[in-house]
Each structure stands twice: as structure tokens, then as C-alpha cells.
Amino acid sequence: MASAKSISVVGLGYVGLPLALLAEEKGYQVSGITKTKKSADELTHKKTSIVDRFVVSKLKKSHLVVSTNFSSISASQVVVICVPTPVTKTHMPDLTPLISACKQIGRNISTNQLIILESTVNPGVSEEIVIPLLEKESGLKVGQDFYFAFCPERINPGDNKWTIENIPRVLGASDPKSLRLSYLFYTSILSAPIKKMRSIKEAEAVKIVENSFRDVNIAFVNELAKSFALLEIDIMHVLDGADTKPFSFLRHNPGIGVGGHCIPVDPYYLIRSMKKRGFSHEFLKMARKINNSMASYAVEMLSKTFKEDGLSLKGQQVGVLGISYKPNIADTRESPSYKVTEELKKKGAQVSTYDPFVPNESTEKTLELLLKKSTAVILVTAHKQFLSITPSLLRKHNVRILIDGRNALNKELFNEGGVLYKGIGR
Ligand code: SAJ
């Protein structure tokens, strides 16, 4: 790759855009390919909804050429595929964006090119779907005419410590030359260590394992939260205690649900692909069930709290604080806020929403306007702005109940301040 001068990045979202900007910073000529003319124009005019510090600063100075046209690929030595691999509403892996990109790439591959897949897929997809598609469309043979590697992305949106440049990576390839070329490419742009796996399948499995690990650990504390609530034990205090153990305990926190494009999605890739092979991932499925139950658990908690006052949730004005899935970013994918809103409406509540990072989906323009309209609020996303909410602010607007879906606020302060506080497991 030392001789490589130009690369193409297919898919310029949370994964592709930082990669394209980093490669440009390292001296590559980069052409970006995106799905719609609208997003191509926005990026060409240096506009993006991604709030990542690296992206915002680099995009302004970049000479990135962005189009929807795949023909630019033939002039690149390296093509990196970073298209989304979501799941459908019924949690089935949705490979259509990947398949459509591979068809177009296959039609534009030139010999000796290195094709790298970064999108998360379950073990086997590269060799059973992606490579055959590239070979079929191009008439070329992997390992001889072109080269292929899989390097799962590990972007952590909003994280300024672990960035695209310093997060360690794993790499798997279909043959020694593909492994060598892809290793050379990544070492030319990353400062982080790169672990060479023995096969593509192993590299595909690494990503699924690390995100399923997180999902099951979150489900573990979510189940504990439900049980400790009945024991009137504050789970956050218990986790503070467990966290004093300097080894073999990795803290996770209970919450109102698991959102994002990775954690709630990746386990389904393994669940679905292994079901086809006759194996049932009971543990992963149970973890998904527990995490998906937290939104209705929080709404049920609110309903019970009104009932304790002889009131019904039906007809109440409830404010939902936060739409995005994670604090201080605008990404709403798989956010539990949608389930919370749906469950509230099912129980007859009038719902207002406010998220400073997602104004176009918020029903209220400001926090004050939401509080004015609400008798109770549910915090779904621990945005910085919400951490400064005080009992007096809620009382000023006659908000009497606070469901803290992220255990982000001070329980004692609100209870002593005349607002009924309920957390998740506290
Ligand atoms: N969540 C909990 N409890 C926790 C941690 C997270 O309920 O203890 C919820 C969050 O509120 C959010 C969801 O889970 O709704 C996902 O949170 P996340 O911090 O895992 O955020 P992501 O989706 O940005 O995860 C990324 C992932 N990075 C990649 O997939 C490349 C993930 O692998 C990382 O582990 C994670 O960042 C991280 O460590 O922060």
C-alpha cells in the first residue's frame, strides 16, 4: 500500500466519514460515495449532522470529492465499504444496502485493487455473500485479480478519548497477500495496534462478540434493577460497591433501554444466522428481551405512581426528555425513546418530547415549553442540559413526578425537593 495514492470510501456516515477524513489527513486522495445526491451535496458543502469533534474540524478543511457515482472507484487502489448493516423491524439482518453497494463496486473493480469491508456482519457473510458478489459482477477472482479483507469498525460516537485513529483494530483476509496489503493500508493511517486474525470469519465474529458482550451485561444489571426495586435496594449503590473490586467485575448501568446502531443490532446477526444452522442463542435472545422490556417497565412505573395517588396515566400530560440513544449526540437509531412514547400513548397519555440535539423530532422547542405542558417527565437520554434540572424548576411548572430512565439525577434531592423521583432500580 505504500504506493497507494487514492482510496474510495463507500458510505459516509458515522463510520465512513471519519475514515475518509483521516485517510485524507494521512495523504491519500479520497473520493467518497454516498447514497443520495442530497447527502453528497451536503458533504461537498462541508455539512454533516455528525457532531464528532474530529469530523467537524477536518470536514471544514477537506477536499473530499463526494458523489453518488461508483465509477470513481476504478481509479482507487483501495475501496473501503462502510455502508449500514441494520436490522428490520422484526430484527432480521438487513443486508440490502451492503448487497447493492457490492453490486456497484463489482461493476467498477479494477485489477490489483484492495476491497475492505468495515460494516458489521455476522460470521460467514464476507465469504458467502460479499466476495461471490464482487467476483460475479467483475468476472475477477479474489486473491489473484483483486484482494479482500474485513476490518470491523469500532467507532464510539461522541468519544473524544478513543478516536478512529487510536482504537485498536482486528483484521481478517481471504489470503496472505490480501492480509498483507490491508495491514499496510491500516498501518499507514492508524496509530493503533492491528491484530491479524487467522480468518475473515474470526474477524467478523470479534465484532459481534464484543457488542453482544455489552448487551448481555446491560441486560444483567437491568434485570437486577427490576428485582432490587422490589427489595428497595438502590442498585446504583450496589454497583458502586461491586465496582470497588479491582478485577473480574466490569460495571454496566441499568437504564430505560439499549439504543444505537451496534449494541441492540449486532446480537440479532448471530441469533438469526445461527438459527438457520439449527442453533438457538437462548442467552442472547433473553438479553435482547430484557433490554427491550425496559421502556415499558419505566412507563408501567409511571402508571403505578399515578395510581398511588388515585390517578390514571390516561389523559395525563407526560414530557419525554431526550430522543437520541446516547447523551450529547444526535443519533436516534434504535433509541428507546420511541418505545417510551409509543407505550405512553397506548396508555392514553398526552406526550410532549424535547431533545436539544434532535429539534426536528421534538414536539417542543425548549425544555421550559415541555415542562409547562407536563405533570410528569421521563428522562430517556442523559444530555448535559438535563443534568442541571432542579426540583424547583419542576415544581415551578407543577411537574410532580420524575422517572429517571438513566439514573442520572440525584434521587434524594428531588424527593426532598417535593418531586416524586423514581429511577431504574432506585
Ligand atoms: N447503555 C446502558 N447501560 C450501559 C451502557 C450503555 O443502558 O451500561 C445503553 C446506552 O444508553 C445506549 C446503548 O446502551 O442506549 C448503547 O450504548 P453504548 O455506550 O454502547 O453506545 P454505542 O452504541 O455508541 O456503542 C459504541 C460501540 N462501538 C462500536 O460498536 C464500534 C460499542 O462497541 C462500545 O462498547 C461502546 O461504544 C462504548 O464502549 O462506549
Side-chain angles (χ1 to χ4, degrees):
M1 284 297 106
S3 60
K5 284 286 166 282
S6 73
I7 75 164
S8 289
V9 179
V10 180
L12 293 170
Y14 279 87
V15 178
L17 186 55
L19 177 74
L21 294 169
L22 179 65
E24 189 183 42
E25 184 186 77
K26 300 292 178 187
Y28 287 94
Q29 268 172 332
V30 184
S31 62
I33 292 154
T34 187
K35 197 159 144 248
T36 63
K37 191 165 173 336
K38 179 173 175 288
S39 59
D41 293 345
E42 278 170 1
L43 284 166
T44 305
H45 293 95
K46 321 278 183 232
K47 283 202 212 95
T48 174
S49 62
I50 296 174
V51 290
D52 179 277
R53 204 159 59 182
F54 172 80
V55 167
V56 171
S57 69
K58 298 294 171 198
L59 186 58
K60 279 195 205 94
K61 297 171 270 182
S62 91
H63 303 289
L64 203 56
V65 176
V66 183
S67 80
T68 55
N69 184 336
F70 281 76
S71 56
S72 61
I73 275 179
S74 49
S76 300
Q77 285 85 29
V78 183
V79 181
V80 190
I81 308 171
C82 303
V83 296
T85 47
V87 285
T88 61
K89 284 250 174 295
T90 54
H91 306 127
M92 293 301 287
D94 176 5
L95 294 178
T96 34
L98 177 60
I99 288 169
S100 127
C102 288
K103 278 190 181 143
Q104 296 273 15
I105 293 165
R107 286 174 203 144
N108 293 279
I109 284 186
S110 37
T111 46
N112 291 327
Q113 250 177 349
L114 169 62
I115 314 290
I116 299 171
L117 176 61
E118 288 209 354
S119 311
T120 305
V121 290
N122 54 272
V125 165
S126 293
E127 286 155 308
E128 291 158 22
I129 297 178
V130 174
I131 291 175
L133 210 46
L134 294 172
E135 290 182 322
K136 177 170 165 281
E137 294 295 333
S138 65
L140 301 177
K141 188 95 187 78
V142 73
Q144 283 167 285
D145 310 316
F146 72 95
Y147 303 95
F148 181 90
F150 178 75
C151 183
E153 57 88 6
R154 277 184 172 161
I155 296 282
N156 186 21
D159 189 336
N160 295 317
K161 174 173 181 263
W162 289 107
T163 65
I164 181 165
E165 192 169 358
N166 65 17
I167 294 174
R169 306 286 289 267
V170 298
L171 185 60
S174 44
D175 58 271
K177 185 160 182 186
S178 296
L179 190 61
R180 189 165 52 77
L181 291 175
S182 49
Y183 186 77
L184 275 173
F185 169 66
Y186 279 106
T187 46
S188 74
I189 60 169
L190 303 181
S191 57
I194 298 158
K195 180 177 178 53
K196 294 178 188 172
M197 305 304 290
R198 285 200 179 72
S199 69
I200 292 182
K201 267 202 187 104
E202 283 185 356
E204 290 167 329
V206 164
K207 178 68 188 289
I208 302 283
V209 163
E210 57 198 30
N211 284 352
S212 302
F213 171 86
R214 192 159 172 80
D215 199 45
V216 298
N217 276 281
I218 296 168
F220 170 56
V221 291
N222 278 339
E223 183 176 81
L224 286 178
K226 290 181 175 179
S227 109
F228 286 11
L230 301 175
L231 286 174
E232 293 184 8
I233 295 176
D234 184 324
I235 184 155
M236 300 307 275
H237 297 162
V238 174
L239 292 172
D240 290 343
D243 219 5
T244 59
K245 184 174 181 186
F247 49 86
S248 4
F249 179 77
L250 181 61
R251 179 181 190 142
H252 285 73
N253 294 302
I256 200 165
V258 175
H261 60 298
C262 307
I263 311 303
V265 170
D266 297 356
Y268 285 119
Y269 269 88
L270 200 52
I271 291 166
R272 300 300 186 208
S273 72
M274 291 318 291
K275 187 172 177 214
K276 278 190 226 144
R277 292 172 171 77
F279 179 83
S280 174
H281 267 287
E282 294 306 317
F283 187 42
L284 295 186
K285 286 192 290 187
M286 180 50 74
R288 290 278 70 242
K289 188 162 173 258
I290 292 169
N291 289 336
N292 285 338
S293 75
M294 299 312 287
S296 28
Y297 173 75
V299 171
E300 188 48 39
M301 195 192 310
L302 177 61
S303 175
K304 281 197 187 115
T305 308
F306 273 116
K307 271 197 196 104
E308 283 159 13
D309 276 357
L311 297 168
S312 154
L313 178 51
K314 194 170 165 28
Q316 294 289 344
Q317 294 268 25
V318 180
V320 173
L321 295 175
I323 298 173
S324 57
Y325 81 87
K326 191 174 180 181
N328 312 316
I329 64 170
D331 193 344
T332 62
R333 283 174 290 183
E334 306 289 327
S335 171
S337 63
Y338 298 116
K339 188 103 187 284
V340 169
T341 303
E342 184 191 325
E343 294 292 315
L344 284 167
K345 287 180 177 168
K346 257 193 227 161
K347 290 183 180 288
Q350 303 294 316
V351 184
S352 311
T353 58
Y354 170 68
D355 186 317
F357 288 84
V358 195
N360 56 330
E361 288 188 41
S362 303
T363 63
E364 308 310 319
K365 292 247 172 302
T366 67
L367 174 60
E368 293 276 339
L369 285 171
L370 175 132
L371 295 176
K372 272 202 181 87
K373 290 173 82 169
S374 307
T375 52
V377 290
I378 299 186
L379 188 142
V380 174
T381 320
H383 289 313
K384 194 160 170 282
Q385 181 187 4
F386 299 154
L387 303 184
S388 51
I389 290 175
T390 60
S392 51
L393 176 68
L394 296 191
R395 272 208 334 277
K396 177 180 144 197
H397 297 291
N398 294 321
V399 175
R400 299 175 44 253
I401 301 169
L402 162 65
I403 305 292
D404 183 357
R406 294 297 175 196
N407 294 339
L409 298 171
N410 183 313
K411 170 173 131 183
E412 289 68 28
L413 193 72
F414 281 86
N415 280 330
E416 284 149 25
V419 176
L420 189 49
Y421 174 103
K422 298 269 171 117
I424 306 292
R426 66 193 305 235

